[in-house]
Amino acid sequence: MQYSDKPMLDTYSQIEHLKSNGITFNVCSEERAYHYLRYNSNYFKVTAFRKNYNKYRGGINDGKYIDLDFAYLCDLASIDMHLRYLSIQLTLDIAYYAKLKILRLMEDHNEDGYQIYIDFMNSLNEVQKKRLENEITRSKNSHYSQNLFEKYYPDFPIWVLLELIPFGRLISLYQFCAKRYNDKNMMQESYMLMTCKALRNASAHSSCILNDLHSHTIIHQKGKPNQKVMHEISKANNISRAAKNKRMSNERISQFVTLLYTFNKIVTSEGAKQKAKELLLQFDKRMMKNITYYNTNELIKANFEFLHQIILYYL
């Protein structure tokens, strides 16, 4: 079987194809690009960021990218990698302290830890219940959770259940507790946890995050960012209201800012918060390292400067 429309190109042919589309090799030489494509990243991944660049319309350069050097794509790929690592770390902390909050609320409401598990299971429909049972059962085949499963099966206290369920099921339990304790703030947090989960999943699967920075890409919440998050960042004085509205209308930017907000609300350890600040500073430094690359690309520059100000606000 042949697929002639999109044939696989060797590395030299990939570079020639990039050149034919107007991508230059002035900042990054073709020799360095060859090595990069062979040993650092792949063509499909690094070229995903070209979506943030416009093309000429008409004339001899029709269809070619405007002011795009291969070095800029490499820089964006590196920043994206750092963002994914940061997002995963922050989400791990958020999940941990979300579990801690559930346990804290149980203690405050004199729960025994067992009845809440029964009530949670009874709140699920048959499909959801079967899915949860499968998630729990899978833990018996893990070296890391097998002992827990065997010790408590089939009557799991909630503190054991929290160690056996994935992030998505944790959010379901978080929502259940919000209803159980009539906690409106907790219910709002559960929606933000969903946003964090979306970014965590993309990061964990090494999906590109920054390859589409265009405005008005939010597909949930009626195309609007979370209003609690918007209210919080309205306190950042160095960002205009217009800039906040425009940048936060991008799904990816909005998800990351929501991640920072959720971390700040749910994580209660000063040590974890200090470590997060160090990671944010490292990411910010890397993001702004080559900001002059994007002097002629308002889309990228404006988004990076927005994130820079948001990070400074949370620091």
Side-chain angles (χ1 to χ4, degrees), residues 218 225 230 233 244-250 254 257 306:
I218 293 180
M230 290 298 291
I233 66 172
K244 292 169 189 172
N245 290 334
K246 188 172 185 179
R247 301 307 155 205
M248 288 293 287
S249 73
N250 176 273
S254 179
V257 177
F306 172 74

Side-chain angles (χ1 to χ4, degrees), residues 87-117:
S87 298
I88 289 173
Q89 180 60 60
L90 296 184
T91 311
L92 285 172
D93 287 343
I94 288 171
Y96 179 84
Y97 286 95
K99 295 176 183 179
L100 186 59
K101 181 170 183 175
I102 290 174
L103 294 174
R104 192 165 59 245
L105 284 170
M106 282 174 47
E107 180 180 346
D108 293 343
H109 289 82
N110 298 314
E111 299 270 14
D112 64 9
Y114 290 86
Q115 187 60 46
I116 189 174
Y117 167 70

